Amino acid sequence: MENFGYIRVAAASPVVRVADVKSNVAEICRMIGEAVEREISILAFPELSVTGYTCGDLFANSRLIEAAQEGIETIRAYTEGLRIAVVVGAPIRKGNKLYNCAVVISDGKVAGYFPKIYLPDYNEFYESRWFTSGADFLDAGEKTPIFTIGGVPFSVEICEDLWAPVPPSSFHALEGAEIIINISGSNETCGKQKERRRIVISQSARTFSGYVYASSGYGESTQDVVFAGSSMICENGRMLAENKRFSTGSTMIVSDIDIESLRALRQKQSSFAIVSPDGNRGTAYSRNFDIIDLGAAPATDFGARLLRDIDPHPFLVKGREDEVDSLCREILDIQTLGLATRLDHIKAKKAVLGISGGLDSTLALLVTVLAFDKLGLPRSGILGITMPGLGTTARTKDNAVDLMARLGVTSREISIAEAVERHFRDIGHDGVTKDITYENAQARERTQILMDVANAEGGLVVGTGDLSELALGWCTYNGDHMSMYGVNASVPKTLVRQLCTWAADKMFPEAGDTLKDIVATPISPELKKEQSGRITQLTEDVIGPYELNDFFLYHFLRFGASPARLRFLAGKAFDGVYDDATIHKWLRNFLRRFFAQQFKRSCLPDGPKVGPVSLSPRGDWRMPSDVKGDSFFEKI
């Protein structure tokens, strides 16, 4: 059964009875059985869950410690024959010292212990009254265990360890742990949950890991504090699942961790390969690691059901309205400052753009207007040129002219029809056959006009092409492929549409109606004569839906996803939108075009990076133009 790079994990918060080990172990075993039915590979229970966290001075009583050991034995026996890793909390005596430990149990074996390093002794906490720090345990020569199940390494830390200046999990991640389990006994105070969420999310992002946080809940003593079962599952800074706090019953949250993506990010992040001059990472208690293999993971049918959302539009800005406003503005600020800096560097007082009435040239014009405003230059120095050709429709032309008028830039119309027809005669083309020459000649004629006008005006040609077009090679080499500075070079088509929509309401209300009509206009190169003035040459009929192409592009570039994984992910993200045959068709087309069109990306003009990926040969993407991509079509 294919796992598609995922592993299923869970955080449980069982109802406990303080110091009633048999009752607690019975509930733990019941929840292990439930987890097995749900095909979970790693199941975490809270800190000291075998006894209850709030036993107080009873931890000094030998009967409670013996009962805890008996409870561990019961759990061990229960897991015989089960392919699941269970992490429970229990007091463990070693010599004449007691440690607050995480105990890892799998398939009838106690695989290892991990003691709590940082014992809180402030406010309501007084753990050193009963326990010894695990630093002492490790300094005595014990190794820090990192466990693997199904080839996925995971490690454990306990509650306060995460709140330390340098959490143990930071070193565990450097040693290869891809999932961090935190078994916690964190109580509730007003506002504490916000800080707890922040620190869990942050640590998962800092370590490029999946972070499973299981916290004590109902049944713990409320003599002085309340425990609400604040369990969380995070992945690389993203909250995947979160428990509803203050429940009066046992709860379990489950999610699927994307191990393949985490590995891709770590591979790119050079800090994961850095070691100190003596060949070690971290402090004394982090240097001796012992890898303990727990065997195969359970067979989990991720194809039937994936317990997480796959965002169909990963490039789009999301969140509350104020968050969306902030991020959209930031993207435009990056583009704007990039262009403004280039204009200032070459002392250009004018900019030249081809304005088609389409999305890309619209966004480029908005950025140019913002750059001129930032530099204190008059907008009249922006020369927008409409260049109607053999397929231009009235809708796009009128929108282009109207937009320029509303923004107060200089507008000029230069028809390319006569020049292109003359060019056809010169090269022996009949001017009737709608082949690639028929289309590309128009794009190159437009670029020649822009370049020559810029020379005559002492200006800079602002490129309009976007990231999606560069990925697919949907641009004419030495035509719209070329400019003097490409402001949209790292902005994918789906984001271009969002930015134009957002700008219509938030930044350029004077041109709002026109901008919204441009967004609503079908995407077309308009290089063939249209019937009755309507746009019938639709780009997405040829290259596929942009939302699919952008999805493929994001996961291919950012996470190095294989074609088979791209197909699987797209099937989950676009379930009910595109069937598998459609996804397969356009995925093959995406890969074919991506590998064949690298030569266009190898000589891109300069342009600013605004998001997580770009295709600049000087930045994110370096690939030979003559690479052979045949193997990528073997398993889709």
Side-chain angles (χ1 to χ4, degrees):
M1 189 178 292
E2 177 64 55
N3 66 17
F4 297 102
Y6 289 94
I7 187 168
R8 185 159 295 168
V9 300
S13 183
V15 171
V16 301
R17 297 179 64 180
V18 179
D20 187 347
V21 173
K22 285 187 178 181
S23 174
N24 296 337
V25 167
E27 182 63 4
I28 287 171
C29 289
R30 185 195 69 78
M31 298 187 81
I32 292 172
E34 178 186 340
V36 170
E37 292 179 358
R38 298 175 70 174
E39 302 175 338
I40 290 163
S41 292
I42 304 174
L43 172 62
F45 288 93
E47 181 178 8
L48 297 169
S49 48
V50 168
T51 58
Y53 179 78
T54 51
C55 291
D57 283 349
L58 287 177
F59 285 122
N61 187 282
S62 60
R63 178 59 198 131
L64 183 65
I65 305 308
E66 290 170 0
Q69 191 59 50
E70 293 165 1
I72 294 296
E73 172 59 22
T74 300
I75 298 169
R76 181 207 63 76
Y78 183 84
T79 65
E80 285 187 13
L82 302 181
R83 287 192 293 173
I84 185 173
V86 178
V87 185
V88 296
I92 301 295
R93 179 183 287 159
K94 184 176 177 63
N96 61 354
K97 295 179 180 178
L98 189 67
Y99 296 92
N100 179 348
C101 282
V103 185
V104 178
I105 303 170
S106 181
D107 192 12
K109 299 180 181 65
V110 174
Y113 300 90
F114 190 90
K116 189 173 186 176
I117 304 295
Y118 295 96
L119 302 179
D121 281 327
Y122 56 85
N123 298 337
E124 61 266 33
F125 301 108
Y126 194 5
E127 286 194 25
S128 63
R129 180 179 176 92
W130 313 294
F131 301 108
T132 298
S133 167
D136 174 78
F137 185 83
L138 296 172
D139 287 343
E142 297 286 344
K143 292 184 177 181
T144 299
I146 291 182
F147 308 90
T148 67
I149 184 167
V152 177
F154 71 93
S155 69
V156 184
E157 61 187 1
I158 304 175
C159 198
E160 186 74 13
D161 291 343
L162 175 61
W163 299 75
V166 183
S169 57
S170 296
F171 302 114
H172 302 169
L174 286 172
E175 292 296 335
E178 295 168 337
I179 293 179
I180 310 297
I181 305 297
N182 186 309
I183 62 170
S184 175
S186 186
N187 65 299
E188 301 300 322
T189 56
C190 183
K192 185 175 181 179
Q193 173 67 357
K194 182 178 181 180
E195 178 66 9
R196 187 164 45 214
R197 292 181 84 254
R198 184 194 64 78
I199 199 169
V200 170
I201 290 170
S202 175
Q203 185 67 355
S204 75
R206 183 178 294 109
T207 56
F208 293 99
S209 69
Y211 202 99
V212 182
Y213 184 91
S215 189
S216 301
Y218 190 72
E220 291 286 0
S221 172
T222 59
Q223 180 175 351
D224 292 303
V225 292
V226 169
F227 297 84
S230 176
S231 297
M232 293 171 267
I233 301 175
C234 294
E235 176 189 294
N236 188 31
R238 176 187 174 194
M239 183 69 72
L240 298 182
E242 188 170 9
N243 197 24
K244 184 178 181 181
R245 294 182 299 155
F246 304 106
S247 171
T248 56
S250 297
T251 60
M252 183 189 299
I253 56 172
V254 185
S255 190
D256 295 332
I257 301 291
D258 187 349
I259 295 298
E260 185 168 318
S261 292
L262 293 174
R263 288 174 178 171
L265 291 173
R266 286 186 176 189
Q267 181 179 322
K268 291 181 180 181
Q269 188 72 14
S270 58
S271 61
F272 270 85
I274 294 174
V275 297
S276 61
D278 62 359
N280 293 307
R281 302 183 179 98
T283 63
Y285 65 78
S286 69
R287 288 179 180 168
N288 282 323
F289 283 84
D290 190 14
I291 306 300
I292 301 173
D293 186 8
L294 304 182
T300 306
D301 194 348
F302 295 102
R305 187 183 182 197
L306 189 65
L307 299 181
R308 61 183 288 146
D309 293 329
I310 303 297
D311 187 354
H313 305 112
F315 283 115
L316 295 189
V317 175
K318 304 174 185 70
R320 302 188 310 268
E321 183 177 358
D322 61 318
E323 293 173 331
V324 172
D325 288 348
S326 176
L327 290 171
C328 286
R329 192 175 300 275
E330 184 176 22
I331 292 168
L332 286 172
D333 283 345
I334 293 171
Q335 292 178 276
T336 298
L337 187 61
L339 178 58
T341 302
R342 181 55 54 91
L343 289 167
D344 185 55
H345 176 70
I346 63 175
K347 307 305 178 186
K349 305 297 183 184
K350 292 187 178 182
V352 178
L353 300 88
I355 308 300
S356 67
L359 285 169
D360 294 340
S361 66
T362 294
L363 180 59
L365 178 58
L366 298 180
V367 170
T368 305
V369 166
L370 293 172
F372 269 62
D373 290 350
K374 180 175 285 290
L375 292 172
L377 298 174
R379 292 185 182 184
S380 58
I382 302 171
L383 179 53
I385 303 178
T386 58
M387 294 170 282
L390 305 180
T392 303
T393 62
R395 179 178 184 180
T396 54
K397 180 183 175 183
D398 291 347
N399 276 337
V401 172
D402 186 63
L403 179 63
M404 289 187 284
R406 291 175 182 244
L407 295 176
V409 307
T410 301
S411 174
R412 184 187 301 180
E413 178 179 323
I414 303 175
S415 173
I416 66 167
E418 185 177 343
V420 169
E421 289 170 351
R422 171 62 186 266
H423 181 62
F424 285 158
R425 293 194 296 271
D426 290 343
I427 64 174
H429 191 281
D430 61 17
V432 177
T433 304
K434 306 299 191 298
D435 55 11
I436 193 68
T437 303
Y438 181 92
E439 296 189 9
N440 284 350
Q442 297 176 68
R444 292 194 178 102
E445 177 62 28
R446 287 178 171 129
T447 300
Q448 174 180 267
I449 290 171
L450 295 174
M451 292 289 184
D452 291 344
V453 170
N455 289 160
E457 296 285 344
L460 175 145
V461 176
V462 178
T464 62
D466 65 47
L467 180 67
S468 307
E469 293 178 343
L470 291 171
L472 296 162
W474 191 250
C475 52
T476 299
Y477 190 81
N478 207 35
D480 52 313
H481 156 262
M482 190 51 58
S483 68
M484 296 174 183
Y485 194 77
V487 294
N488 294 339
S490 66
V491 185
K493 185 74 75 177
T494 49
L495 182 56
V496 171
R497 185 188 300 275
Q498 183 185 26
L499 290 172
C500 289
T501 302
W502 177 83
D505 293 324
K506 301 293 185 176
M507 294 200 77
F508 297 96
E510 70 275 18
D513 292 344
T514 303
L515 287 170
K516 289 176 182 177
D517 192 63
I518 289 171
V519 169
T521 302
I523 300 173
S524 170
E526 293 196 326
L527 296 172
K528 297 179 180 179
K529 291 182 178 179
E530 305 292 358
Q531 302 172 358
S532 305
R534 294 183 295 105
I535 296 174
T536 57
Q537 185 188 10
L538 301 178
T539 297
E540 291 176 294
D541 287 349
V542 179
I543 62 173
Y546 270 115
E547 62 178 355
L548 267 182
N549 285 315
D550 282 358
F551 182 88
F552 298 147
L553 178 63
Y554 179 84
H555 289 277
F556 186 79
L557 291 186
R558 183 157 169 75
F559 303 116
S562 67
R565 182 169 157 87
L566 288 173
R567 183 175 179 178
F568 168 76
L569 293 174
K572 295 297 183 183
F574 293 98
D575 185 29
V577 180
Y578 303 108
D579 60 24
D580 182 64
T582 301
I583 290 171
H584 183 239
K585 169 188 173 181
W586 292 121
L587 175 56
R588 291 187 66 88
N589 184 71
F590 169 84
L591 293 170
R592 178 184 63 80
R593 296 191 66 97
F594 186 86
F595 283 108
Q597 301 293 313
Q598 174 63 25
F599 72 99
K600 296 178 182 177
R601 301 187 289 269
S602 293
C603 53
L604 283 180
D606 292 351
K609 178 180 177 179
V610 303
V613 298
S614 84
L615 286 169
S616 169
R618 300 166 297 276
D620 285 28
W621 191 253
R622 298 165 178 85
M623 184 177 81
S625 297
D626 52 2
V627 69
K628 303 298 182 184
D630 295 356
S631 64
F632 287 82
F633 293 88
E634 293 174 358
K635 295 181 179 180
I636 302 181

